[in-house]
């Protein structure tokens, strides 16, 4: 049976049916519709004002690649300039190939690229070193927790280095729905309260952040990358299989199979969530050590690094976080054979 005619241009044969609407579109019309929807998200949400210098978090994966490509197409209409910022977490056998993809993208699209490394920013700690340090502590499954916090700090630092006024990341609707599910399953009211909207305005001196792909499904992000023949890195991080997010992802797939609108329903639920006064988190303050935005005495990044440097990484996550905040200034560093060697090379350079 021949493919139906494109429902938009009524000339070419349709190449797909959009997963949510079922609309049959040809390749060009689908890509144009995808870009128009991202433009609408940015303009309607007032995410990137004219003249903004935008740091694009570039990981080399499909989401950040699609985001950079779409924003490059829209930049003249939005009146913004782009700068790719990549983070080298120090994951052997994985990050080198991803950074190579980012460098190819920067060269092909003629966009400036800056790479910042965990080892440089965090006193020699890389994700491989963090994994070794937590391996015997019962916290090895928390590598993604460490990495998420440190990566956010590293991206902020990279954005400041290039003079950016805004930061954008490639989180899509599926990513955000998974995060909402994870926060519900953990009973984390504070993160649920902060999880709505398309980004953060930049409290406490932090740069404004936004997620232009937040309303785009993962399926359509993949389709856009395929039709635009984008070059991206597609291997999963070596630490991802142990992450709690994988359970939320599996649950989300089951929910979406029963209710196709489940992904966007979860995203919009977070936007409309209202907590009772007693459940609302206190207003954020400043980290006593680095000055970054924090809801406790120490920001998450400083707390995690403090626990690692003490040789007690379990203090940095969960209930131990309270004990860490109450201990006061760090004392002499305890012996930790599993800590990062000072001469460890930085992957990607």
């Amino acid at each position: 049976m021949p493919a139906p005619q494109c429902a938009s241009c009524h000339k070419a044969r349709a190449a797909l049916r959009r997963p949510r609407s079922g609309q049959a579109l040809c390749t060009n019309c689908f890509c144009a519709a995808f870009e128009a929807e991202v433009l609408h998200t940015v303009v309607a949400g007032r995410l990137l004002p004219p003249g903004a210098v935008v740091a694009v978090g570039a990981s080399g994966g499909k989401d950040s690649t699609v985001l950079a490509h779409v924003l490059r197409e829209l930049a003249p209409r939005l009146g913004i300039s782009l700068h790719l910022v990549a983070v080298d977490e120090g994951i052997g056998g994985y990050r080198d190939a991803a950074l190579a993809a980012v460098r190819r993208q920067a060269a092909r699209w003629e966009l400036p690229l800056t790479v910042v490394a965990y080892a440089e920013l965090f006193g020699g700690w890389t994700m491989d070193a963090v994994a070794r340090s937590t391996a015997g502590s019962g916290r090895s499954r928390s590598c993604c927790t460490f990495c998420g916090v440190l990566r956010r700090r590293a991206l902020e630092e990279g954005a400041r280095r290039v003079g950016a006024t805004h930061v954008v990341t490639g989180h899509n609707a599926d990513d955000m729905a998974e995060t909402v599910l994870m926060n519900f399953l953990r009973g984390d009211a504070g993160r649920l309260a902060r999880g709505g909207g398309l980004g953060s305005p930049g409290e406490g001196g932090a740069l404004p952040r936004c997620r232009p792909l937040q309303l785009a499904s993962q399926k359509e992000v993949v389709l856009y990358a395929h039709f635009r023949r984008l070059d991206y890195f597609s291997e999963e991080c070596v630490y991802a299989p142990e992450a709690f997010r994988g359970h939320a992802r599996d649950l989300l797939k089951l929910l979406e199979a029963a209710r196709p609108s489940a992904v966007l329903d979860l995203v919009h639920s977070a936007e409309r969530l209202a907590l009772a006064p007693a459940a609302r988190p206190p207003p954020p303050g400043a980290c006593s050590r680095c000055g970054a935005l924090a809801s406790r005495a120490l920001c998450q990044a400083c707390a995690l690094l403090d626990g690692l440097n003490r040789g007690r990484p379990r203090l940095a996550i969960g209930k131990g976080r309270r004990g860490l905040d109450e201990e006061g200034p760090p004392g002499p560093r305890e012996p930790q054979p599993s800590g990062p060697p000072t001469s460890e090379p930085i992957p990607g350079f």
Side-chain angles (χ1 to χ4, degrees), residues 6-346:
C6 174
S8 180
C9 68
H10 304 290
K11 296 177 181 178
R13 290 292 183 182
L16 79 157
R17 287 189 180 275
R18 301 195 73 175
R20 288 179 187 153
S21 66
Q23 187 182 31
L25 295 177
C26 67
T27 298
N28 290 337
C29 288
F30 166 73
C31 291
F34 186 92
E35 292 166 4
E37 288 165 6
V38 174
L39 177 64
H40 175 76
T41 298
V42 173
V43 173
R46 300 179 179 179
L47 304 181
L48 301 172
V53 179
V54 181
V56 182
S59 68
K62 67 181 186 311
D63 297 313
S64 67
T65 300
V66 167
L67 175 63
H69 183 273
V70 172
L71 288 182
R72 180 175 174 270
E73 295 293 313
L74 299 178
R77 298 172 66 180
L78 293 170
I80 61 175
S81 58
L82 306 178
H83 196 121
L84 301 182
V85 176
V87 177
D88 180 1
E89 303 93 341
I91 303 174
Y94 169 76
R95 183 46 70 193
D96 289 355
L99 286 174
V102 175
R103 291 189 174 97
R104 291 194 300 270
Q105 294 163 7
R108 183 175 298 112
W109 298 333
E110 298 181 336
L111 291 175
L113 168 65
T114 295
V115 179
V116 292
Y118 280 13
E120 171 206 350
L121 298 175
F122 305 129
W125 285 102
T126 65
M127 272 315 302
D128 285 342
V130 170
R132 290 194 297 270
S133 180
T134 59
S137 68
R139 294 286 180 176
S140 60
R141 296 183 64 184
S142 298
C143 283
C144 288
T145 299
F146 281 87
C147 194
V149 172
L150 297 181
R151 182 178 176 81
R152 183 180 180 88
R153 172 63 63 82
L155 182 57
E156 179 87 7
E157 175 61 26
R160 292 189 182 280
R161 288 185 182 183
V162 303
T165 59
H166 293 71
V167 178
V168 297
T169 58
H171 297 88
N172 61 47
D174 294 61
D175 297 327
M176 300 311 300
E178 290 165 10
T179 299
V180 173
L181 271 181
M182 288 168 61
N183 291 335
F184 268 117
L185 294 172
R186 288 169 170 161
D188 194 332
R191 283 191 172 86
L192 280 169
R194 295 191 298 269
L198 294 166
S200 57
E203 298 175 290
L207 293 174
R209 287 179 176 241
C210 64
R211 301 177 289 267
L213 300 184
Q214 180 168 312
L215 302 180
S217 72
Q218 180 170 267
K219 292 185 181 73
E220 295 207 341
V221 170
V222 172
L223 287 169
Y224 183 90
H226 171 70
F227 290 134
R228 289 299 195 203
R229 302 181 183 276
L230 301 183
D231 171 23
Y232 64 88
F233 180 72
S234 58
E235 291 186 21
E236 185 178 52
C237 174
V238 295
Y239 299 116
E242 295 185 335
F244 180 60
R245 180 174 289 272
H247 299 291
R249 182 174 296 124
D250 292 341
L251 177 57
L252 184 62
K253 289 178 181 176
L254 293 174
L255 293 172
E256 191 176 18
R259 181 184 175 88
S261 64
V263 170
L264 275 183
D265 288 345
L266 280 166
V267 173
H268 292 314
S269 293
E271 294 172 353
R272 301 185 181 101
L273 181 68
L275 296 179
R280 292 172 188 163
C287 174
S288 60
R289 185 164 301 168
C290 71
L293 198 67
S295 57
R296 298 172 182 260
L298 293 179
C299 68
Q300 287 183 313
C302 287
L304 291 172
L305 291 168
D306 212 0
L308 290 168
N309 288 330
R310 290 167 182 263
R312 300 165 67 185
R314 67 177 59 235
L315 284 177
I317 300 176
K319 294 180 180 178
R321 173 74 190 274
R322 180 180 178 184
L324 178 62
D325 286 341
E326 293 173 351
E327 286 186 4
R333 179 167 171 167
E334 300 176 10
Q336 49 165 343
S338 58
T342 55
S343 60
E344 184 172 351
I346 302 175

